[in-house]
Amino acid sequence: MAERYDCHYCNESLFGKKYVLRDENPYCVKCYESNNNTVHNDLELCDLSYKDRHWHDDCFHCFKCHRSLVDKPFSTKDEQLLCTECYSNEYSSKCFECKKTIMPGSRKMEHKGNSWHETCFTCQRCQQPIGTKSFIPKDNNNYCVPCYEKQFALQCVHCKKPVTTGGVTYHDQPWHKDCFLCTGCKEQLSGQRFTSRDDFPYCLNCFCNLYAKKCAECTTPISGLGGTKYISFEERQWHNDCFNCKKCLVSLVGRGFLTERDDILCPDCGKDI
């Protein structure tokens, strides 16, 4: 902040007023005239001051275009006075869209090192100003969120609404996580193992309960999923762990066995049949 610049005699501020410099001291015109009756050749009548610097009216002009800056807005660069137009053309940002200068003090939008006039920062699709709303850049263009979703976002197979984040792909088709549900129990399938039947997705529990074969011994479903091993014989199936001799309970997996009605027996236990 500049120091005060006051009349050497009455101490009133001289900013914005004409004043006289004598012996390097400033005086307001009134004080000087009332205290000096003699004309001095070493006097300077100054009109304007800025940050402890002083100009005559005729000297207060733009450094580049030399137009008068009296009663006009101006800027400074390297202690040189510049009119607003010259300063803007030389030092201000250029709008990425219209390539024109963004005037000092005007609102501008910035993104990834580029600047726009507020009215030039528009959605590529609807051409409405984006302002401070959310937007999505794509291929050097910017889109408001509704337009981006309409033009680029995949549509959920179930609800037909755009899938913007966190979608699931099933049979090369997009789904929202909340829409990708088990056909049986309607629980969300995202993040868990599932299978399908006739192109309908099912969680493992529902699939097993509805379609899987039942173990002849324990009667629980045999999923056959994930490499689960089981034994099949004459239209009956067993879990590997359940395929045991009915009498001695020895495992018969990979061994010969005999049958007696619905039971399976190891060769030793089947001798007496």
Side-chain angles (χ1 to χ4, degrees), residues 243-254:
F243 194 61
N244 303 321
C245 174
K246 186 68 174 179
K247 289 186 176 182
C248 69
L249 302 181
V250 66
S251 174
L252 297 177
V253 176

Side-chain angles (χ1 to χ4, degrees), residues 36 51 99 132 147 157 163 204 229:
N36 294 275
K51 290 187 176 180
K99 312 305 179 186
T132 57
C147 283
V157 172
V163 179
L204 298 189
K229 294 181 180 180

